[in-house]
Structures are given as structure tokens and as C-alpha cells.
Amino acid sequence: MNYKQIKEGDIKLFVPVAKRIYDAPVFYNPHMVTNRDISILLLKALDRKFYCMDLLAGTGVRGLRIKKEIPKAQVDLNDKNPVAYKLIKKNASFNKLKVNVSKANAEFRLANYKQVYNYIDIDPFGTPVPFLDPAIKALKWKGGILGVTATDTSALCGTYVKACKRKYRAKPLRNYLMHELGIRILIKKIQEVAAQYDIALTPIFCHSTRHYMRVYLKADSGAKKADKILKQHCMYEGAGPFWTGDLWDTKLANKMYKLLSKTNVSQKTKKIIHTIKEESKIKTFGFFDIHKLAKEYKLKQVPRFDRVIAALHQKKYKAARTHFSDSGIRTNAPLKTIVKIIKS
Ligand SMILES: C[S@@+](CC[C@H](N)C(=O)[O-])C[C@H]1O[C@@H](n2cnc3c(N)ncnc32)[C@H](O)[C@@H]1O
């Protein structure tokens, strides 16, 4: 196998050279750096002694970054691909990092844990559904954090409605809100799996791009707490059910923002964290699409977003751009107020 040496965060690592990332003997996607950067910022901001499992580790990049960048973290990495297993070991010793590496099937590996984890990372090809049940069982039920990626956005965002219904037991919507709604379906699904074991999973952070969705949830145990979570699964415009509660812990988002200056992350990561820091202060279900409204109300020009946001602030409403869409504004103002502003 041909390798090249790269740098990501505070580590250097070997990754396979291949024409297309999916042809490589071990998977490494440089476009997922923001996904990994954000997990580092989140664990740093939570500031605890973490016992982590990077369950589907690939080259080991995420788990090794955690070991290097999060003080006192203990890290286990697993990948069933024997070539990946060897590469993780090579990358760990190259960075002089002491971690435990295994090459088991994920379900088997989690069923044989020696100590419960207070952070489990699930970063699969496609849907995370097969890994949810074993991960939740191996997670610390009081305060454990689950980080989950889904790349089957075409199901969650409503291109493949049947696949979404089958895998997530929810009807998606393909409209301007689809990325937020897709994340709300993903959260609902993860919470349902946890609730079977009287575990309440509360989202603390999430983000989405065209190609993937990523959510972080914090565990707490108790039947009543799990019931309270399930009560927040509701239908919207004939679709769903969706998680209708908060998507972010505002204080955590703010801490992550403050850590940007002390953490080696990409420009794209800085931009998204900056947007979410403001967006997370506004606890609404959905946002407004200004381009769509401009079209509906036959405006000659789409109004400037900073002007709309400033006008909403002046009227004492909360308002900020949303990272879910370039044409969206999240606000607690009613539609009629926004229409009045964009028409003026
Ligand atoms: C998307 S890649 C992981 C990428 C990696 N987390 C990163 O940040 O670069 C998914 C990985 O899961 C591994 N995998 C898939 N199914 C698995 C299973 N059932 N048990 C263990 N590993 C599995 C694959 O070999 C692959 O390396």
C-alpha cells in the first residue's frame, strides 16, 4: 500500500494514497476534518477525564487526536479492517501515543468492554443505526457522551423517503428545512433506542453539511427522564416524528468558540462554530428562508441578511444566521414581522 504523511490537528499521520477515497484500503476523508475538529473542541470544552472509544477508527485519526489533544484522555480504537488496525498502530507509535487498538466487529468489541466509556464515537459509512444499541449499552449512563455521524443524508433529508421510514421510523420532509429536520429525525431515533433501557439522551451539540450530519448527546438514567425525552417527539406538517427540543447547549457552544484560539482547527471549523455560537442562543424549531420569502412576496431584491438581523434585534427579537442554510435566518420573531422587515 502507498502512504503519504499528512498533518491534522496536533498529530502527523500516514494515510493511504488512492485516486478516490472509497478505493483506498483504509478510509480517510480530508473533508471530514471539521467533523473531527469539532469533536476535539467539544471534549476540550467539557473538560473531564475521558475514557473514549473510537469505534470505527479507520486510520485512527480521531482517536489519536483525542489522545494527543485532550488532557488525560484514555483512548481505545477499533476497526474490523485488519489493514486499518495495522495503520492505527503505526500512526499511534509514530506520534508516541499510548492507546489500545483492536480489530473486532464493533458490536462484539462493545459487548466485551472492560470499563464503561464516557465518550463513544460512531463514525460509520452511511447510517449509524446498527451501532446505536451496542454503543448505548457500553456508555456511562450518567453523563456519558455519544458522538454520532450519519452520512445517509439522502434518506434523512427526504430523497429516499422509504429508507428513512425503514431505518429511522420517521417520515422526512424535502424542503428548505431538510437538514435541520434530518438531524431532528436522527436525534429522535438515537433517543428511542436509549429510552428502551430507561436512558435519557439530551442533545448538547449538532451540525450538518450537505454530506453528513453529526450529533452529540449526553446520557442520564431514569425512566421518568427517558419518558420526558420521548414526549418531545412530535409530528410537523404531516411528517416526522421529530425531536422538537433544543439542539445545542448554548454555554457549551460558547466555550467551544472560546477554545478556537487555542486549538489547531481548520478555517471552515472556525466559521461553523462562530455561526453556531450565535444560532444556539435561539431555541426555535426551524428557521426562515429569506430567499424563499423574497420570492413569495415578489421582492425585486433579496434583502441584506445583516440588515434583516439588525432590524429584528432592534425590535427586541433574537435573530442570527443558521449554519443549516446559507439563505436562512433563525429568529423567535413571527412571520408577519419578518415579512414587514423584508418588504420595508
Ligand atoms: C467512515 S470510516 C471511519 C473514518 C474515521 N472515523 C475517520 O475519522 O477517518 C468507517 C470505518 O468503519 C469500519 N467498519 C465498518 N463496519 C464495521 C464494523 N461492523 N465493525 C468494526 N469496524 C467497522 C470500516 O473498516 C471503516 O474503516
PDB file of all heavy atoms in Angstrom, residues 37-69:
ATOM      1  N   ASP A  37     -12.456  18.074  14.054  1.00  0.00           N
ATOM      2  CA  ASP A  37     -12.089  19.285  14.817  1.00  0.00           C
ATOM      3  C   ASP A  37     -13.136  19.572  15.890  1.00  0.00           C
ATOM      4  O   ASP A  37     -12.814  19.902  17.034  1.00  0.00           O
ATOM      5  CB  ASP A  37     -12.078  20.518  13.891  1.00  0.00           C
ATOM      6  CG  ASP A  37     -10.835  20.632  13.023  1.00  0.00           C
ATOM      7  OD1 ASP A  37      -9.862  19.902  13.262  1.00  0.00           O
ATOM      8  OD2 ASP A  37     -10.856  21.474  12.096  1.00  0.00           O
ATOM      9  N   ILE A  38     -14.406  19.453  15.491  1.00  0.00           N
ATOM     10  CA  ILE A  38     -15.487  19.812  16.418  1.00  0.00           C
ATOM     11  C   ILE A  38     -15.545  18.827  17.585  1.00  0.00           C
ATOM     12  O   ILE A  38     -15.794  19.221  18.725  1.00  0.00           O
ATOM     13  CB  ILE A  38     -16.838  19.951  15.664  1.00  0.00           C
ATOM     14  CG1 ILE A  38     -16.772  21.202  14.768  1.00  0.00           C
ATOM     15  CG2 ILE A  38     -18.022  20.046  16.634  1.00  0.00           C
ATOM     16  CD1 ILE A  38     -17.992  21.480  13.921  1.00  0.00           C
ATOM     17  N   SER A  39     -15.236  17.551  17.324  1.00  0.00           N
ATOM     18  CA  SER A  39     -15.240  16.611  18.459  1.00  0.00           C
ATOM     19  C   SER A  39     -14.130  16.964  19.445  1.00  0.00           C
ATOM     20  O   SER A  39     -14.308  16.847  20.659  1.00  0.00           O
ATOM     21  CB  SER A  39     -15.164  15.151  17.995  1.00  0.00           C
ATOM     22  OG  SER A  39     -14.071  14.940  17.149  1.00  0.00           O
ATOM     23  N   ILE A  40     -13.010  17.448  18.937  1.00  0.00           N
ATOM     24  CA  ILE A  40     -11.915  17.855  19.829  1.00  0.00           C
ATOM     25  C   ILE A  40     -12.351  19.073  20.662  1.00  0.00           C
ATOM     26  O   ILE A  40     -12.184  19.102  21.884  1.00  0.00           O
ATOM     27  CB  ILE A  40     -10.637  18.197  19.010  1.00  0.00           C
ATOM     28  CG1 ILE A  40     -10.119  16.970  18.249  1.00  0.00           C
ATOM     29  CG2 ILE A  40      -9.549  18.815  19.894  1.00  0.00           C
ATOM     30  CD1 ILE A  40      -9.606  15.832  19.091  1.00  0.00           C
ATOM     31  N   LEU A  41     -12.936  20.055  19.991  1.00  0.00           N
ATOM     32  CA  LEU A  41     -13.381  21.261  20.712  1.00  0.00           C
ATOM     33  C   LEU A  41     -14.407  20.910  21.786  1.00  0.00           C
ATOM     34  O   LEU A  41     -14.370  21.429  22.903  1.00  0.00           O
ATOM     35  CB  LEU A  41     -14.005  22.260  19.725  1.00  0.00           C
ATOM     36  CG  LEU A  41     -13.039  22.988  18.794  1.00  0.00           C
ATOM     37  CD1 LEU A  41     -13.808  23.689  17.676  1.00  0.00           C
ATOM     38  CD2 LEU A  41     -12.197  24.007  19.565  1.00  0.00           C
ATOM     39  N   LEU A  42     -15.323  20.005  21.437  1.00  0.00           N
ATOM     40  CA  LEU A  42     -16.388  19.634  22.377  1.00  0.00           C
ATOM     41  C   LEU A  42     -15.819  18.918  23.606  1.00  0.00           C
ATOM     42  O   LEU A  42     -16.162  19.245  24.743  1.00  0.00           O
ATOM     43  CB  LEU A  42     -17.408  18.757  21.653  1.00  0.00           C
ATOM     44  CG  LEU A  42     -18.613  18.351  22.482  1.00  0.00           C
ATOM     45  CD1 LEU A  42     -19.907  18.686  21.739  1.00  0.00           C
ATOM     46  CD2 LEU A  42     -18.614  16.876  22.815  1.00  0.00           C
ATOM     47  N   LEU A  43     -14.922  17.970  23.387  1.00  0.00           N
ATOM     48  CA  LEU A  43     -14.356  17.244  24.530  1.00  0.00           C
ATOM     49  C   LEU A  43     -13.498  18.178  25.383  1.00  0.00           C
ATOM     50  O   LEU A  43     -13.517  18.105  26.608  1.00  0.00           O
ATOM     51  CB  LEU A  43     -13.540  16.035  24.054  1.00  0.00           C
ATOM     52  CG  LEU A  43     -14.329  14.929  23.340  1.00  0.00           C
ATOM     53  CD1 LEU A  43     -13.425  13.774  22.944  1.00  0.00           C
ATOM     54  CD2 LEU A  43     -15.472  14.396  24.189  1.00  0.00           C
ATOM     55  N   LYS A  44     -12.773  19.084  24.724  1.00  0.00           N
ATOM     56  CA  LYS A  44     -11.973  20.073  25.470  1.00  0.00           C
ATOM     57  C   LYS A  44     -12.884  20.933  26.334  1.00  0.00           C
ATOM     58  O   LYS A  44     -12.612  21.187  27.498  1.00  0.00           O
ATOM     59  CB  LYS A  44     -11.244  20.997  24.485  1.00  0.00           C
ATOM     60  CG  LYS A  44      -9.796  20.668  24.258  1.00  0.00           C
ATOM     61  CD  LYS A  44      -9.131  21.834  23.529  1.00  0.00           C
ATOM     62  CE  LYS A  44      -7.737  21.448  23.099  1.00  0.00           C
ATOM     63  NZ  LYS A  44      -7.081  22.512  22.329  1.00  0.00           N
ATOM     64  N   ALA A  45     -13.992  21.374  25.740  1.00  0.00           N
ATOM     65  CA  ALA A  45     -14.909  22.274  26.447  1.00  0.00           C
ATOM     66  C   ALA A  45     -15.579  21.559  27.621  1.00  0.00           C
ATOM     67  O   ALA A  45     -15.865  22.174  28.648  1.00  0.00           O
ATOM     68  CB  ALA A  45     -15.964  22.810  25.484  1.00  0.00           C
ATOM     69  N   LEU A  46     -15.819  20.266  27.492  1.00  0.00           N
ATOM     70  CA  LEU A  46     -16.477  19.535  28.585  1.00  0.00           C
ATOM     71  C   LEU A  46     -15.521  19.329  29.761  1.00  0.00           C
ATOM     72  O   LEU A  46     -15.959  19.136  30.899  1.00  0.00           O
ATOM     73  CB  LEU A  46     -17.022  18.194  28.088  1.00  0.00           C
ATOM     74  CG  LEU A  46     -18.244  18.309  27.167  1.00  0.00           C
ATOM     75  CD1 LEU A  46     -18.581  16.961  26.554  1.00  0.00           C
ATOM     76  CD2 LEU A  46     -19.455  18.861  27.910  1.00  0.00           C
ATOM     77  N   ASP A  47     -14.225  19.342  29.451  1.00  0.00           N
ATOM     78  CA  ASP A  47     -13.187  19.374  30.475  1.00  0.00           C
ATOM     79  C   ASP A  47     -13.366  18.315  31.574  1.00  0.00           C
ATOM     80  O   ASP A  47     -13.580  18.640  32.737  1.00  0.00           O
ATOM     81  CB  ASP A  47     -13.174  20.795  31.090  1.00  0.00           C
ATOM     82  CG  ASP A  47     -11.959  21.009  31.969  1.00  0.00           C
ATOM     83  OD1 ASP A  47     -10.972  20.293  31.788  1.00  0.00           O
ATOM     84  OD2 ASP A  47     -12.024  21.893  32.856  1.00  0.00           O
ATOM     85  N   ARG A  48     -13.330  17.036  31.167  1.00  0.00           N
ATOM     86  CA  ARG A  48     -13.422  15.931  32.127  1.00  0.00           C
ATOM     87  C   ARG A  48     -12.339  14.925  31.799  1.00  0.00           C
ATOM     88  O   ARG A  48     -11.736  14.983  30.742  1.00  0.00           O
ATOM     89  CB  ARG A  48     -14.725  15.154  31.932  1.00  0.00           C
ATOM     90  CG  ARG A  48     -15.948  15.870  32.163  1.00  0.00           C
ATOM     91  CD  ARG A  48     -17.023  14.792  32.247  1.00  0.00           C
ATOM     92  NE  ARG A  48     -18.217  15.217  31.587  1.00  0.00           N
ATOM     93  CZ  ARG A  48     -19.087  14.381  31.038  1.00  0.00           C
ATOM     94  NH1 ARG A  48     -18.857  13.078  31.035  1.00  0.00           N
ATOM     95  NH2 ARG A  48     -20.179  14.823  30.488  1.00  0.00           N
ATOM     96  N   LYS A  49     -12.204  13.948  32.675  1.00  0.00           N
ATOM     97  CA  LYS A  49     -11.291  12.849  32.343  1.00  0.00           C
ATOM     98  C   LYS A  49     -12.088  11.872  31.475  1.00  0.00           C
ATOM     99  O   LYS A  49     -13.046  11.264  31.950  1.00  0.00           O
ATOM    100  CB  LYS A  49     -10.792  12.164  33.610  1.00  0.00           C
ATOM    101  CG  LYS A  49      -9.734  11.127  33.301  1.00  0.00           C
ATOM    102  CD  LYS A  49      -9.147  10.533  34.542  1.00  0.00           C
ATOM    103  CE  LYS A  49      -8.114   9.455  34.274  1.00  0.00           C
ATOM    104  NZ  LYS A  49      -8.074   8.822  32.991  1.00  0.00           N
ATOM    105  N   PHE A  50     -11.708  11.766  30.225  1.00  0.00           N
ATOM    106  CA  PHE A  50     -12.488  10.941  29.307  1.00  0.00           C
ATOM    107  C   PHE A  50     -11.892   9.550  29.121  1.00  0.00           C
ATOM    108  O   PHE A  50     -10.670   9.396  29.018  1.00  0.00           O
ATOM    109  CB  PHE A  50     -12.604  11.624  27.938  1.00  0.00           C
ATOM    110  CG  PHE A  50     -13.714  12.632  27.903  1.00  0.00           C
ATOM    111  CD1 PHE A  50     -13.443  13.993  27.958  1.00  0.00           C
ATOM    112  CD2 PHE A  50     -15.035  12.216  27.849  1.00  0.00           C
ATOM    113  CE1 PHE A  50     -14.473  14.918  27.951  1.00  0.00           C
ATOM    114  CE2 PHE A  50     -16.072  13.133  27.840  1.00  0.00           C
ATOM    115  CZ  PHE A  50     -15.790  14.489  27.890  1.00  0.00           C
ATOM    116  N   TYR A  51     -12.798   8.574  29.098  1.00  0.00           N
ATOM    117  CA  TYR A  51     -12.426   7.229  28.695  1.00  0.00           C
ATOM    118  C   TYR A  51     -13.174   6.980  27.383  1.00  0.00           C
ATOM    119  O   TYR A  51     -14.397   6.827  27.375  1.00  0.00           O
ATOM    120  CB  TYR A  51     -12.802   6.226  29.787  1.00  0.00           C
ATOM    121  CG  TYR A  51     -12.242   4.841  29.532  1.00  0.00           C
ATOM    122  CD1 TYR A  51     -11.041   4.663  28.837  1.00  0.00           C
ATOM    123  CD2 TYR A  51     -12.897   3.714  29.994  1.00  0.00           C
ATOM    124  CE1 TYR A  51     -10.526   3.405  28.595  1.00  0.00           C
ATOM    125  CE2 TYR A  51     -12.379   2.440  29.763  1.00  0.00           C
ATOM    126  CZ  TYR A  51     -11.200   2.297  29.060  1.00  0.00           C
ATOM    127  OH  TYR A  51     -10.701   1.045  28.814  1.00  0.00           O
ATOM    128  N   CYS A  52     -12.433   7.019  26.267  1.00  0.00           N
ATOM    129  CA  CYS A  52     -13.064   7.103  24.942  1.00  0.00           C
ATOM    130  C   CYS A  52     -12.953   5.821  24.139  1.00  0.00           C
ATOM    131  O   CYS A  52     -11.942   5.125  24.216  1.00  0.00           O
ATOM    132  CB  CYS A  52     -12.367   8.168  24.093  1.00  0.00           C
ATOM    133  SG  CYS A  52     -12.247   9.746  24.871  1.00  0.00           S
ATOM    134  N   MET A  53     -13.964   5.605  23.322  1.00  0.00           N
ATOM    135  CA  MET A  53     -13.918   4.533  22.329  1.00  0.00           C
ATOM    136  C   MET A  53     -14.146   5.136  20.947  1.00  0.00           C
ATOM    137  O   MET A  53     -15.210   5.686  20.674  1.00  0.00           O
ATOM    138  CB  MET A  53     -15.007   3.498  22.638  1.00  0.00           C
ATOM    139  CG  MET A  53     -15.276   2.522  21.498  1.00  0.00           C
ATOM    140  SD  MET A  53     -13.811   1.674  20.860  1.00  0.00           S
ATOM    141  CE  MET A  53     -13.778   0.228  21.880  1.00  0.00           C
ATOM    142  N   ASP A  54     -13.114   5.057  20.087  1.00  0.00           N
ATOM    143  CA  ASP A  54     -13.265   5.434  18.677  1.00  0.00           C
ATOM    144  C   ASP A  54     -13.585   4.116  17.973  1.00  0.00           C
ATOM    145  O   ASP A  54     -12.700   3.341  17.630  1.00  0.00           O
ATOM    146  CB  ASP A  54     -11.951   6.060  18.176  1.00  0.00           C
ATOM    147  CG  ASP A  54     -12.059   6.552  16.736  1.00  0.00           C
ATOM    148  OD1 ASP A  54     -13.150   6.426  16.145  1.00  0.00           O
ATOM    149  OD2 ASP A  54     -11.044   7.052  16.206  1.00  0.00           O
ATOM    150  N   LEU A  55     -14.880   3.872  17.804  1.00  0.00           N
ATOM    151  CA  LEU A  55     -15.374   2.538  17.450  1.00  0.00           C
ATOM    152  C   LEU A  55     -15.069   2.124  16.012  1.00  0.00           C
ATOM    153  O   LEU A  55     -14.811   0.956  15.735  1.00  0.00           O
ATOM    154  CB  LEU A  55     -16.896   2.524  17.667  1.00  0.00           C
ATOM    155  CG  LEU A  55     -17.602   1.195  17.540  1.00  0.00           C
ATOM    156  CD1 LEU A  55     -17.121   0.221  18.597  1.00  0.00           C
ATOM    157  CD2 LEU A  55     -19.108   1.378  17.651  1.00  0.00           C
ATOM    158  N   LEU A  56     -15.143   3.088  15.096  1.00  0.00           N
ATOM    159  CA  LEU A  56     -14.942   2.801  13.663  1.00  0.00           C
ATOM    160  C   LEU A  56     -13.807   3.722  13.219  1.00  0.00           C
ATOM    161  O   LEU A  56     -14.020   4.758  12.598  1.00  0.00           O
ATOM    162  CB  LEU A  56     -16.244   3.084  12.904  1.00  0.00           C
ATOM    163  CG  LEU A  56     -17.489   2.376  13.471  1.00  0.00           C
ATOM    164  CD1 LEU A  56     -18.763   3.017  12.966  1.00  0.00           C
ATOM    165  CD2 LEU A  56     -17.483   0.896  13.135  1.00  0.00           C
ATOM    166  N   ALA A  57     -12.592   3.341  13.571  1.00  0.00           N
ATOM    167  CA  ALA A  57     -11.499   4.317  13.639  1.00  0.00           C
ATOM    168  C   ALA A  57     -10.798   4.611  12.315  1.00  0.00           C
ATOM    169  O   ALA A  57     -10.122   5.627  12.199  1.00  0.00           O
ATOM    170  CB  ALA A  57     -10.489   3.868  14.686  1.00  0.00           C
ATOM    171  N   GLY A  58     -10.886   3.731  11.307  1.00  0.00           N
ATOM    172  CA  GLY A  58     -10.198   3.975  10.026  1.00  0.00           C
ATOM    173  C   GLY A  58      -8.695   4.074  10.227  1.00  0.00           C
ATOM    174  O   GLY A  58      -8.051   3.128  10.689  1.00  0.00           O
ATOM    175  N   THR A  59      -8.127   5.249   9.930  1.00  0.00           N
ATOM    176  CA  THR A  59      -6.678   5.465  10.123  1.00  0.00           C
ATOM    177  C   THR A  59      -6.347   5.731  11.596  1.00  0.00           C
ATOM    178  O   THR A  59      -5.178   5.818  11.955  1.00  0.00           O
ATOM    179  CB  THR A  59      -6.217   6.706   9.341  1.00  0.00           C
ATOM    180  OG1 THR A  59      -6.984   7.824   9.820  1.00  0.00           O
ATOM    181  CG2 THR A  59      -6.419   6.551   7.847  1.00  0.00           C
ATOM    182  N   GLY A  60      -7.392   5.950  12.408  1.00  0.00           N
ATOM    183  CA  GLY A  60      -7.191   6.272  13.820  1.00  0.00           C
ATOM    184  C   GLY A  60      -7.129   7.765  14.077  1.00  0.00           C
ATOM    185  O   GLY A  60      -6.912   8.209  15.208  1.00  0.00           O
ATOM    186  N   VAL A  61      -7.352   8.547  13.027  1.00  0.00           N
ATOM    187  CA  VAL A  61      -7.114   9.993  13.145  1.00  0.00           C
ATOM    188  C   VAL A  61      -7.887  10.646  14.292  1.00  0.00           C
ATOM    189  O   VAL A  61      -7.326  11.439  15.051  1.00  0.00           O
ATOM    190  CB  VAL A  61      -7.367  10.711  11.786  1.00  0.00           C
ATOM    191  CG1 VAL A  61      -8.760  10.487  11.255  1.00  0.00           C
ATOM    192  CG2 VAL A  61      -7.069  12.195  11.889  1.00  0.00           C
ATOM    193  N   ARG A  62      -9.153  10.270  14.478  1.00  0.00           N
ATOM    194  CA  ARG A  62      -9.928  10.956  15.513  1.00  0.00           C
ATOM    195  C   ARG A  62      -9.464  10.547  16.917  1.00  0.00           C
ATOM    196  O   ARG A  62      -9.168  11.392  17.757  1.00  0.00           O
ATOM    197  CB  ARG A  62     -11.417  10.683  15.358  1.00  0.00           C
ATOM    198  CG  ARG A  62     -12.268  11.585  16.254  1.00  0.00           C
ATOM    199  CD  ARG A  62     -13.717  11.136  16.264  1.00  0.00           C
ATOM    200  NE  ARG A  62     -14.279  11.065  14.937  1.00  0.00           N
ATOM    201  CZ  ARG A  62     -15.075  11.987  14.391  1.00  0.00           C
ATOM    202  NH1 ARG A  62     -15.397  13.064  15.065  1.00  0.00           N
ATOM    203  NH2 ARG A  62     -15.560  11.825  13.174  1.00  0.00           N
ATOM    204  N   GLY A  63      -9.379   9.235  17.126  1.00  0.00           N
ATOM    205  CA  GLY A  63      -8.978   8.751  18.451  1.00  0.00           C
ATOM    206  C   GLY A  63      -7.583   9.231  18.828  1.00  0.00           C
ATOM    207  O   GLY A  63      -7.324   9.584  19.984  1.00  0.00           O
ATOM    208  N   LEU A  64      -6.685   9.255  17.843  1.00  0.00           N
ATOM    209  CA  LEU A  64      -5.309   9.684  18.136  1.00  0.00           C
ATOM    210  C   LEU A  64      -5.259  11.179  18.415  1.00  0.00           C
ATOM    211  O   LEU A  64      -4.516  11.637  19.287  1.00  0.00           O
ATOM    212  CB  LEU A  64      -4.367   9.294  16.991  1.00  0.00           C
ATOM    213  CG  LEU A  64      -4.213   7.775  16.783  1.00  0.00           C
ATOM    214  CD1 LEU A  64      -3.340   7.473  15.571  1.00  0.00           C
ATOM    215  CD2 LEU A  64      -3.642   7.090  18.027  1.00  0.00           C
ATOM    216  N   ARG A  65      -6.081  11.930  17.706  1.00  0.00           N
ATOM    217  CA  ARG A  65      -6.152  13.370  18.016  1.00  0.00           C
ATOM    218  C   ARG A  65      -6.690  13.576  19.432  1.00  0.00           C
ATOM    219  O   ARG A  65      -6.217  14.443  20.166  1.00  0.00           O
ATOM    220  CB  ARG A  65      -7.055  14.097  17.001  1.00  0.00           C
ATOM    221  CG  ARG A  65      -6.371  14.353  15.675  1.00  0.00           C
ATOM    222  CD  ARG A  65      -7.211  15.252  14.786  1.00  0.00           C
ATOM    223  NE  ARG A  65      -7.376  16.586  15.358  1.00  0.00           N
ATOM    224  CZ  ARG A  65      -8.119  17.541  14.804  1.00  0.00           C
ATOM    225  NH1 ARG A  65      -8.753  17.310  13.667  1.00  0.00           N
ATOM    226  NH2 ARG A  65      -8.222  18.728  15.377  1.00  0.00           N
ATOM    227  N   ILE A  66      -7.683  12.773  19.813  1.00  0.00           N
ATOM    228  CA  ILE A  66      -8.241  12.909  21.172  1.00  0.00           C
ATOM    229  C   ILE A  66      -7.138  12.633  22.197  1.00  0.00           C
ATOM    230  O   ILE A  66      -6.942  13.385  23.150  1.00  0.00           O
ATOM    231  CB  ILE A  66      -9.451  11.957  21.366  1.00  0.00           C
ATOM    232  CG1 ILE A  66     -10.620  12.398  20.482  1.00  0.00           C
ATOM    233  CG2 ILE A  66      -9.874  11.906  22.839  1.00  0.00           C
ATOM    234  CD1 ILE A  66     -11.820  11.453  20.469  1.00  0.00           C
ATOM    235  N   LYS A  67      -6.395  11.543  21.971  1.00  0.00           N
ATOM    236  CA  LYS A  67      -5.326  11.179  22.918  1.00  0.00           C
ATOM    237  C   LYS A  67      -4.300  12.312  23.035  1.00  0.00           C
ATOM    238  O   LYS A  67      -3.829  12.637  24.116  1.00  0.00           O
ATOM    239  CB  LYS A  67      -4.653   9.882  22.439  1.00  0.00           C
ATOM    240  CG  LYS A  67      -3.542   9.386  23.322  1.00  0.00           C
ATOM    241  CD  LYS A  67      -4.062   8.894  24.658  1.00  0.00           C
ATOM    242  CE  LYS A  67      -2.941   8.664  25.654  1.00  0.00           C
ATOM    243  NZ  LYS A  67      -3.436   8.376  26.994  1.00  0.00           N
ATOM    244  N   LYS A  68      -3.968  12.918  21.896  1.00  0.00           N
ATOM    245  CA  LYS A  68      -2.940  13.961  21.880  1.00  0.00           C
ATOM    246  C   LYS A  68      -3.470  15.297  22.423  1.00  0.00           C
ATOM    247  O   LYS A  68      -2.769  16.011  23.136  1.00  0.00           O
ATOM    248  CB  LYS A  68      -2.462  14.144  20.426  1.00  0.00           C
ATOM    249  CG  LYS A  68      -1.450  15.220  20.199  1.00  0.00           C
ATOM    250  CD  LYS A  68      -0.050  14.711  20.368  1.00  0.00           C
ATOM    251  CE  LYS A  68       0.950  15.825  20.129  1.00  0.00           C
ATOM    252  NZ  LYS A  68       2.303  15.330  20.087  1.00  0.00           N
ATOM    253  N   GLU A  69      -4.727  15.627  22.086  1.00  0.00           N
ATOM    254  CA  GLU A  69      -5.194  16.996  22.332  1.00  0.00           C
ATOM    255  C   GLU A  69      -6.061  17.157  23.583  1.00  0.00           C
ATOM    256  O   GLU A  69      -6.309  18.268  24.028  1.00  0.00           O
ATOM    257  CB  GLU A  69      -5.945  17.515  21.089  1.00  0.00           C
ATOM    258  CG  GLU A  69      -5.044  17.558  19.848  1.00  0.00           C
ATOM    259  CD  GLU A  69      -5.755  18.015  18.575  1.00  0.00           C
ATOM    260  OE1 GLU A  69      -6.475  19.013  18.619  1.00  0.00           O
ATOM    261  OE2 GLU A  69      -5.572  17.349  17.533  1.00  0.00           O
TER     262      GLU A  69
END
